Amino acid sequence: MSKNTFSIGGVHPHDSKISRGCAIEQLPLAPTVYLQLSQHIGAPAKPIVAVGDKVKVGQPIAEPGGFVSAFIHSSVSGTVKSIAPRPDLAGIPQMCIEIAVEGDEWAPGIDLSDTLVTAIPEDNKAIVEKIRLAGVVGLGGATFPTHVKLSPPPGSKCEMIIINGCECEPYLTSDFRVLMEKGEQVVVGAAILSQVMGGVPCTIAIEVNKPEAIAHMEEVIGKLGYKGISVMPMKMRYPQGSEKQLIDAVMHRQVGSGALPISVGAVVQNVGTALAVYDAVQKNKPLVDNTLSVTGECFPRQANLLVRVGTPIKYIIDYLGGVPEDAVKVISGGPMMGKAIANLEASTLKGTSAILFLTAKQTLRAPESGCIRCGKCADACPMGLEPFLLQRLARANDMEALEQNAAQDCIECGCCLYSCPAHIPLLDIIRQAKGAVLGAIRARAAAAKAAAEAK
Amino acid sequence: MSQLTISPSPHIHSKDSTTSLMRDVVIALLPAVICSFIFYGWREILVMGVSVASCVLLEWVITKYLLKKPSTIADLSAVVTGVLLGLNLPYTTPWWVVFIGAVVAIGVAKMTFGGIGQNIWNPALVGRVFLLVSFPTYMTTWKQPQGLFGLDAVSGPTPLGAIQEGLLSGASVQDLTAAYNYRDLLFANLGGSAGEVCALALLAGFVYLCIRKVIKPWITLSIFATVALTALIFWGVNPARFTGPVFNLLTGGLILGACFMATDYVTSPMSLWGGVIFGVGIGFLTMMIRYFGSYPEGVSFAILIMNSVVPLLNRWFHQKKFGRK
């Protein structure tokens, strides 16, 4: 049993990987897709097509709106029908490009064959540019543009690439299936990333509840023969796949408050991202599809699907038999950090990892009772915070004390609320407080900058 | 599915609830309760019954008619207080004295502060100490018990009480402790309130709570360590005047107090080091009261005194935060 894990807090929810045996299937094309212009962290992309234009699969249809932003490519071939706001998963209007699907014609230059390309181009700058042009973003949840992560600020040095294959969220199995079925591509992707960062070692972190994936990846690495790539089995513990926690677990280094992983010499990329990097660099294929799990005990037709970005959620669910009778909540992502879907008409994004159905018994919250000061929330917090204290300070609106007690460090993993025996909505309250504290910190920094410039 | 439910993450919850934690504490106390029934017979059953019933009833009446809030008796915390109070009283305590203890424990120590989670002092201990100073005769008189199954168990004063009296009359500790052997101390068979008499049953409950991760062992272990160390020093210096470590660990309410009263969530510190200091304080004060105080036993007082310091300990000791010095 592996002992590799992070040093503070964490919880052990049942892993519920019930869709682990489902091989990845290709979802038939939807009649219409809707590509949201803001599906990455940073500035929304700017459309470069007009209504009525004919587009092909993999053709860029929106360009980055800033340095931290990403290209968006058409995931289908067809006609641009509209560029207009459309309610997203939460029901909030977001600019979308609507494309009516006609056939499946790919843009020229994209290699759609299954041949594994193992020879990596030498020019690192060209590689990063290819990744940027392919619209690759982090697929582990944060959807941070990958080319930005691969361009560390001057003065910082990467010492290790960590490929995040923990998949510590219960239910999710898409990364597991990718490791099992596209392990070679992931390893080539990892080798590309390691070369770009200066030939640093690369660790593929996989939790021990996926022993097949650990064995398979070790075999693939041995077969492909790249230097410096290794698999690290991790103890099962949530939130191991969180960037800061994973760096702590693998490198025994803690990223400081408000700092980036590169400050301790780490760059973390998700398994899906490594695959997207392979596709972009070796196959010229932009990020137009991703693998997601459709799962839940109440959902009879479990699946891991390869889905074109922008496919309506409802189309996916209907393809698999519709929303089950006893499901009360449909979640985009895992049960710990995923978002409850308010609008099934909304479409998938690059970073959508799962559609999860939960029953009333599984998900409805018990009524809140009084805090019994058991300290289970503080034991569970992977950031070493004291949620019981933060929620009290938040209810008292004591901004100064909230900042002193590091409310801004909260990673919103949900361990506190998960473990609270009194069912106090700790994270709900702390999340709001964190937003306010971060706002105050930013305002202060902006004021200080303005004052410095005025001198 | 007719309607989608929307709420922020996380969307699942651990199986723990206040009720499940309190149920575990009750289960952990059962061996000691059963032992006390066997040793002391129907009068102990009466004491325990009155204690638990009045604690639950009082909490229900107070929440419903005085606070006009939803009742909290389903969380079982009043049951825990009732069982602990019952274990803290001699089996001979009259039912109305037990009831007064429950009024003080639930009515004064718990509900006046706002109910579960709000009290500063351990309710059962406040009840016990109130009875100890108000009804000393009932609280320190020990009669020949009639155990269940005709088990002929206990007689005479508590070991700690006997030694204090003996010391006052000029005898040495060696002579006085010669009357006790450690097997008897471990398996009860000595005078004392119900929960003071069966060390093994209490320790089994403590191990259960640790395995179920209801409590962490640090507070309890630091109490035991401090008691043992303090006793070792004094006993080493003057064995004729001071009792030794093993005797002090096994007698009085130390095991009940250290395992079940000092570890009460509400009235103990949240952090590891806060808990250790809390435990050291309880151990040291207990020994000071036993050696130099006018009461033979000091665990209850020591815990209540350290309960008062908990807000300060919570303020001084925090978790180590990730990525911060």
Side-chain angles (χ1 to χ4, degrees):
Chain A
M1 245 323 119
S2 169
K3 289 205 162 40
N4 301 317
T5 190
F6 51 99
S7 47
I8 308 174
V11 293
H12 299 91
H14 190 277
D15 77 347
S16 307
K17 306 274 189 195
I18 45 184
S19 55
R20 64 184 301 147
C22 307
I24 299 172
E25 348 166 14
Q26 179 110 34
L27 179 78
L29 291 177
T32 313
V33 298
Y34 304 87
L35 290 137
Q36 201 171 302
L37 291 176
S38 180
Q39 44 181 312
H40 44 258
I41 284 192
K46 286 186 293 205
I48 50 174
V49 288
V51 176
D53 284 5
K54 295 277 181 199
V55 293
K56 290 177 180 161
V57 188
Q59 175 185 334
I61 52 170
E63 61 181 14
F67 176 62
V68 182
S69 185
F71 273 100
I72 290 168
H73 300 77
S74 179
S75 59
V76 291
S77 61
T79 310
V80 178
K81 284 283 170 196
S82 73
I83 302 174
R86 194 166 179 276
D88 68 2
L89 295 172
I92 299 163
Q94 303 278 359
M95 284 304 283
C96 287
I97 299 178
E98 175 187 1
I99 301 170
V101 179
E102 296 147 12
D104 192 29
E105 195 187 334
W106 287 65
I110 298 173
D111 177 0
L112 289 173
S113 71
D114 285 337
T115 331
L116 186 73
V117 184
T118 52
I120 301 169
E122 276 172 21
D123 185 350
N124 284 341
K125 273 206 171 132
I127 291 177
V128 175
E129 182 60 9
K130 262 186 154 177
I131 292 172
R132 188 180 82 91
L133 289 174
V136 179
V137 298
L139 299 179
T143 60
F144 192 81
T146 302
H147 68 276
V148 180
K149 249 192 192 177
L150 297 179
S151 321
S156 51
K157 189 173 161 11
C158 174
E159 293 167 51
M160 184 184 274
I161 292 267
I162 301 172
I163 301 295
N164 185 355
C166 292
E167 207 161 47
C168 61
E169 273 263 13
Y171 293 97
L172 307 198
T173 55
S174 54
D175 285 351
F176 168 70
R177 290 315 311 184
V178 167
L179 287 173
M180 292 306 291
E181 297 176 39
K182 298 178 184 171
E184 287 84 359
Q185 290 90 323
V186 170
V187 170
V188 178
I192 294 171
L193 291 167
S194 133
Q195 179 192 308
V196 167
M197 297 318 286
V200 295
C202 171
T203 304
I204 304 176
I206 305 173
E207 285 196 348
V208 293
N209 60 344
K210 299 177 268 292
E212 316 93 307
I214 293 171
H216 180 63
M217 291 310 279
E218 273 168 352
E219 192 196 315
V220 169
I221 291 168
K223 199 173 70 189
L224 293 180
Y226 294 109
K227 286 210 176 64
I229 301 183
S230 59
V231 174
M232 186 185 267
M234 314 298 292
K235 192 178 162 189
M236 230 184 99
R237 193 160 164 224
Y238 176 86
Q240 190 118 256
S242 157
E243 199 166 58
K244 287 185 172 185
Q245 275 60 38
L246 187 58
I247 294 167
D248 182 27
V250 173
M251 300 171 75
H252 308 291
R253 294 180 189 175
Q254 296 194 343
V255 180
S257 172
L260 292 173
I262 193 72
S263 66
V264 296
V267 169
V268 182
Q269 298 287 359
N270 174 265
V271 163
T273 318
L275 176 63
V277 164
Y278 167 85
D279 283 341
V281 177
Q282 307 293 72
K283 300 286 212 178
N284 279 324
K285 184 186 160 215
L287 185 50
V288 293
D289 53 16
N290 65 333
T291 309
L292 53 87
S293 308
V294 189
T295 180
E297 277 86 354
C298 61
F299 191 68
R301 175 70 163 81
Q302 309 276 325
N304 292 295
L305 293 179
L306 185 64
V307 175
R308 298 285 171 91
V309 176
T311 303
I313 304 271
K314 193 165 181 310
Y315 176 80
I316 302 173
I317 298 174
D318 287 346
Y319 172 74
L320 297 172
V323 179
E325 262 314 298
D326 45 350
V328 297
K329 213 187 243 182
V330 186
I331 294 159
S332 164
M336 293 299 286
M337 287 190 80
K339 289 188 167 57
I341 301 176
N343 170 28
L344 292 178
E345 306 290 335
S347 299
T348 64
L349 308 173
K350 290 176 181 177
T352 306
S353 58
I355 299 169
L356 168 65
F357 301 92
L358 292 178
T359 61
K361 194 164 171 282
Q362 288 173 309
T363 189
L364 291 193
R365 290 185 183 179
E368 176 183 357
S369 57
C371 173
I372 54 170
R373 302 192 225 166
C374 62
K376 284 188 185 291
C377 55
D379 289 342
C381 179
M383 295 305 289
L385 310 181
E386 289 159 309
F388 62 88
L389 176 65
L390 295 178
Q391 67 98 15
R392 233 175 26 230
L393 295 172
R395 290 194 209 223
N397 208 18
D398 187 342
M399 297 298 291
E400 207 174 304
L402 278 167
E403 191 178 334
Q404 261 167 22
N405 287 285
Q408 65 276 21
D409 287 3
C410 171
I411 58 169
E412 303 184 27
C413 63
C415 288
C416 53
L417 209 166
Y418 173 83
S419 50
C420 177
H423 298 92
I424 299 167
L426 292 163
L427 179 57
D428 300 1
I429 299 163
I430 294 167
R431 195 184 266 129
Q432 289 183 6
K434 173 193 169 184
V437 170
L438 280 176
I441 292 174
R442 273 193 216 110
R444 220 167 42 220
K449 201 176 161 197
E453 276 166 6
K455 273 184 190 167
Chain B
M1 188 221 45
S2 52
Q3 238 181 334
L4 291 178
T5 309
I6 305 301
S7 66
S9 63
H11 305 286
I12 50 173
H13 195 276
S14 74
K15 289 191 175 64
D16 284 344
S17 65
T18 305
T19 310
S20 76
L21 295 174
M22 294 299 159
R23 191 186 301 126
D24 267 342
V25 177
V26 173
I27 291 170
L29 284 166
L30 275 183
V33 170
I34 292 167
C35 279
S36 72
F37 288 174
I38 293 171
F39 290 134
Y40 297 109
W42 67 270
R43 290 205 59 177
E44 174 61 27
I45 297 176
L46 182 75
V47 167
M48 187 60 74
V50 171
S51 176
V52 173
S54 19
C55 282
V56 174
L57 185 73
L58 283 162
E59 181 157 320
W60 182 77
V61 168
I62 292 169
T63 43
K64 189 166 167 80
Y65 294 104
L66 288 179
L67 303 177
K68 300 196 183 351
K69 285 202 286 194
S71 162
T72 48
I73 57 169
D75 67 25
L76 299 182
S77 63
V79 175
V80 171
T81 301
V83 174
L84 285 173
L85 180 66
L87 286 176
N88 267 294
L89 302 175
Y91 72 98
T92 45
T93 317
W95 68 268
W96 57 272
V97 173
V98 179
F99 181 75
I100 292 173
V103 170
V104 174
I106 293 292
V108 179
K110 185 177 180 188
M111 300 315 285
T112 44
F113 287 90
I116 185 164
Q118 306 292 323
N119 49 297
I120 298 170
W121 294 282
N122 183 305
L125 275 183
V126 173
R128 174 200 150 94
V129 166
F130 178 85
L131 295 183
L132 187 65
V133 295
S134 312
F135 303 96
T137 333
Y138 293 123
M139 292 295 288
T140 52
T141 309
W142 311 92
K143 287 182 195 156
Q144 181 74 31
Q146 204 64 51
L148 290 179
F149 322 119
L151 204 70
D152 182 25
V154 195
S155 64
T158 67
L160 285 169
I163 282 166
Q164 191 176 46
E165 271 176 41
L167 282 171
L168 289 174
S169 61
S172 82
V173 165
Q174 283 101 329
D175 295 341
L176 294 163
T177 50
Y180 306 103
N181 69 54
Y182 294 132
R183 213 201 68 205
D184 276 353
L185 290 174
L186 263 179
F187 292 99
N189 282 344
L190 290 163
S193 54
E196 295 184 352
V197 294
C198 193
L200 275 187
L202 289 166
L203 288 173
F206 170 69
V207 170
Y208 172 79
L209 287 185
C210 290
I211 291 172
R212 296 275 296 161
K213 294 191 176 154
V214 174
I215 59 169
K216 279 180 270 176
W218 313 123
I219 292 177
T220 308
L221 294 181
S222 56
I223 294 175
F224 288 155
T226 311
V227 164
L229 194 68
T230 315
L232 190 68
I233 293 169
F234 279 85
W235 174 70
V237 171
N238 187 354
R241 164 71 178 82
F242 299 109
T243 46
V246 181
F247 184 83
N248 274 292
L249 283 174
L250 294 178
T251 50
L254 187 75
I255 295 175
L256 177 65
C259 296
F260 291 98
M261 318 283 265
T263 53
D264 169 27
Y265 287 143
V266 179
T267 55
S268 65
M270 312 268 247
S271 60
L272 168 65
W273 288 109
V276 168
I277 289 177
F278 178 72
V280 169
I282 291 173
F284 184 74
L285 287 172
T286 299
M287 291 313 297
M288 291 302 105
I289 297 168
R290 281 184 179 181
Y291 282 159
F292 305 110
S294 56
Y295 281 92
E297 174 56 313
V299 176
S300 311
F301 295 108
I303 294 176
L304 289 176
I305 291 166
M306 290 310 290
N307 282 165
S308 330
V309 189
V310 166
L312 276 180
L313 291 173
N314 279 341
R315 181 174 278 239
W316 289 337
F317 295 93
H318 291 277
Q319 297 264 111
K320 196 207 162 292
K321 291 186 174 58
F322 187 98
R324 287 175 183 244
K325 289 277 147 40

